[in-house]
Amino acid sequence: MKDRYLFKGKRLDNGQWVKGNLLKDGLTGQVFIHRIGNPVGETGGVGMEGWLQFLAFEIDPSTVCQCTGVKDKNGKLIWENDILREEAELSTTSESQYYIHKVYWDEAMLSFYCGEIYSEEELPLTEVWQGEVIGNTIDHSIEDLKYWKEISKR
């Protein structure tokens, strides 16, 4: 569960995803991520005792996603706004049916949930244990049903 406190977002300078610790500047409203593995050290400036020096990337606040601490069936970490595909065999035939879920934080339940995007069914993330991450709603809008229907067949 140590991954549970990680965040990711898209950098403003190049649009690439960066994962690490989330930092918010309360004065400017800017949002930064200090990448995993980047060192943190004390500054050597005069009169600056207690200040820390580190490299952080400014990110687009609309792309911030928190790690759930849960892994999909392939061992890949699941993040807020991820899309999961869950395969279920139909009991009457040998065919499979696929469910497509969006991962989100439910403030009332204080837990991550999955909403099935073709219906109004909602499940706690821990109940979608056979799911696999196939994308996210930041890179592909949830309204792009054609995309999600096509990728769910792969």
Side-chain angles (χ1 to χ4, degrees):
M1 277 304 253
K2 65 180 172 131
D3 298 319
R4 169 75 176 77
Y5 301 102
L6 293 177
F7 288 84
K8 71 177 183 176
K10 287 195 161 197
R11 290 173 50 173
L12 283 181
D13 61 346
N14 64 13
Q16 296 294 312
W17 286 102
V18 61
K19 299 173 186 174
N21 301 302
L22 185 68
L23 305 166
K24 293 181 181 179
D25 186 321
L27 296 175
T28 66
Q30 293 170 290
V31 180
F32 300 87
I33 288 188
H34 172 250
R35 189 190 325 236
I36 301 167
N38 276 354
V40 176
E42 289 189 44
T43 61
V46 176
M48 303 196 50
E49 292 88 16
W51 285 60
L52 296 176
Q53 179 178 336
F54 56 88
L55 177 65
F57 299 98
E58 186 174 4
I59 60 165
D60 177 349
S62 69
T63 66
V64 173
C65 303
Q66 186 171 359
C67 184
T68 65
V70 177
K71 295 183 179 180
D72 73 359
K73 72 177 191 177
N74 300 318
K76 184 176 180 181
L77 282 171
I78 299 173
W79 298 80
E80 181 180 16
N81 295 313
D82 272 353
I83 297 293
L84 304 177
R85 174 178 58 188
E86 181 183 25
E87 182 178 358
E89 285 190 19
L90 301 174
S91 58
T92 55
T93 67
S94 61
E95 294 181 14
S96 293
Q97 180 174 350
Y98 293 97
Y99 296 96
I100 306 295
H101 304 277
K102 176 190 175 191
V103 178
Y104 65 94
W105 175 255
D106 186 312
E107 192 66 37
M109 300 302 287
L110 299 176
S111 182
F112 284 102
Y113 266 69
C114 292
E116 217 285 315
I117 66 171
Y118 302 124
S119 72
E120 294 186 22
E121 180 182 9
E122 296 180 344
L123 299 166
L125 176 60
T126 54
E127 289 187 26
V128 187
W129 57 274
Q130 293 181 6
E132 69 177 315
V133 175
I134 59 171
N136 64 63
T137 60
I138 307 296
D139 293 326
H140 301 280
S141 86
I142 197 71
E143 287 77 25
D144 191 359
L145 294 180
K146 181 179 178 184
Y147 173 81
W148 296 115
K149 284 182 180 179
E150 183 60 36
I151 200 165
S152 70
K153 296 175 185 175
R154 296 182 192 167

